[in-house]
Amino acid sequence: MSSFSGGGKQRPNANHPCYQCSSLNENTAKKLCRKQPHALVAHTETQLVRTYPAGMRIDSSNFNPVIFWAFGTQMVALNYQTEDAALHLNAAMFEQNGRCGYVLKPRVMWDRTHMMYRRFNPWDKEFDGLHSSHLILGVISGQYVCQSNMASSTYVEVEVVGIPVDCNKQKTKVIQRNALNPIWNDTFFFQVMFRDLAFLRFSVLDAGTSHLLAQRVMPLKCLRPGYRHVRLRSSQNQPLPLATLFVYSRTEEESLDYDAGATAENGD
């Protein structure tokens, strides 16, 4: 793994053919992500890296794959015997291209013309070359969100999963004894710095037991603006007939606000 070491400008290791793969357990991979973030992103530009769950996960649990994707890791192996949020994120990642092959990395990791090329560190809280966006998301109502008990009291958790600075979770109020057509009418605001690797997770939960009744994960960039029905799935990520959330969303780019302000000042 000598290609991860060194200071100054990081360059791909030209001595290793592109088909050679480094396989790291999650603990080793996390250490590299923290200690040498720029070197790891540079390494994965020309070399394959695989990470897999640590041996201590005797319960077959999974880690969040997004952070490893954010450092350019091409193969993030998960325990498929445990259908959890991590597997739902993985499914959403590869559903965006119809499950027909690989998903191209964000431009910042390979495009030499990008302002943040070789400067992108997912651990950072501010990015000079990225414009944040503001997501306004309204959770209006639900339909058949608990098909086993229409008298359940429910609420919705809305979570943005991405690089650390983007992670955020909010929830609606509880609607008592109505899982047939609950109306929440709650609006949430999220600031997202790195939209390319941001996922939106909807979780409908039972207010009494906090049991997951239905869920859906999707890449944020795949959420179409305006009024939409989000088709829900079970905790096993299987489609639930008729189960939907009715939502409204729009995204405001921070750069557009700044540009408009600058134009107005210049006009004066």
Side-chain angles (χ1 to χ4, degrees):
M1 302 305 296
S2 59
S3 57
F4 286 133
S5 62
K9 290 186 177 180
Q10 303 296 336
R11 297 186 177 182
N13 192 330
N15 297 323
H16 293 164
C18 62
Y19 54 80
Q20 287 188 351
C21 177
S22 304
S23 194
L24 314 170
N25 72 40
E26 62 175 293
N27 297 325
T28 303
K30 283 179 182 177
K31 287 179 182 178
L32 283 172
C33 290
R34 291 193 177 278
K35 292 182 177 180
Q36 301 187 59
H38 294 109
L40 180 55
V41 174
H43 179 86
T44 58
E45 190 178 349
T46 58
Q47 302 292 141
L48 293 172
V49 175
R50 169 183 175 265
T51 186
Y52 56 90
M56 293 301 292
R57 291 184 180 271
I58 56 175
D59 58 349
S60 294
S61 60
N62 284 307
F63 51 74
N64 180 352
V66 177
I67 193 60
F68 295 117
W69 292 332
F71 283 92
T73 303
Q74 296 94 339
M75 293 180 283
V76 180
L78 298 172
N79 288 316
Y80 268 52
Q81 62 267 40
T82 303
E83 190 73 48
D84 55 10
L87 274 190
H88 299 166
L89 284 164
N90 186 74
M93 178 68 159
F94 296 98
E95 283 174 351
Q96 62 183 299
N97 68 349
R99 300 187 217 175
C100 64
Y102 68 88
V103 174
L104 188 65
K105 289 183 186 180
R107 281 184 55 237
V108 68
M109 297 181 188
W110 54 265
D111 188 349
R112 295 174 183 269
T113 66
H114 196 287
M115 186 180 298
M116 288 289 291
Y117 178 71
R118 293 292 170 87
R119 295 171 48 227
F120 176 66
N121 179 358
W123 299 122
D124 288 344
K125 298 191 181 298
E126 295 182 358
F127 303 88
D128 293 337
L130 297 176
H131 295 295
S132 66
S133 58
H134 299 275
L135 171 67
I136 297 92
L137 180 67
V139 178
I140 301 170
S141 63
Q143 294 77 39
Y144 299 95
V145 295
C146 180
Q147 298 176 359
S148 61
N149 182 8
M150 292 299 176
S152 295
S153 299
T154 61
Y155 66 97
V156 180
E157 279 187 353
V158 183
E159 183 178 8
V160 172
V161 183
I163 62 174
V165 72
D166 287 340
C167 293
N168 193 355
K169 182 190 294 184
Q170 301 183 50
K171 63 182 180 181
T172 68
K173 57 180 171 286
V174 175
I175 298 300
Q176 300 290 341
R177 301 184 60 79
N178 182 2
L180 175 64
N181 57 347
I183 299 175
W184 293 285
N185 265 339
D186 284 329
T187 302
F188 307 108
F189 301 88
F190 298 94
Q191 182 174 7
V192 180
M193 288 298 304
F194 194 50
R195 187 180 175 86
D196 286 343
L197 274 179
F199 294 81
L200 197 57
R201 183 171 190 247
F202 296 96
S203 301
V204 182
L205 297 110
D206 184 284
T209 64
S210 296
H211 177 69
L212 180 66
L213 303 175
Q215 58 81 32
R216 183 65 187 273
V217 180
M218 65 180 66
L220 182 56
K221 59 187 178 183
C222 293
L223 177 66
R224 295 182 179 180
Y227 291 94
R228 303 286 173 180
H229 277 100
V230 177
R231 296 183 181 276
L232 298 176
R233 297 177 180 176
S234 69
S235 58
Q236 299 299 310
N237 213 32
Q238 297 300 309
L240 291 172
L242 305 178
T244 59
L245 289 178
F246 188 46
V247 304
Y248 169 81
S249 69
R250 76 175 188 271
T251 302
E252 297 175 353
E253 296 294 335
E254 188 176 72
S255 58
L256 297 179
D257 295 339
Y258 289 153
D259 290 345
T263 302
E265 291 177 3
N266 294 334
D268 293 341

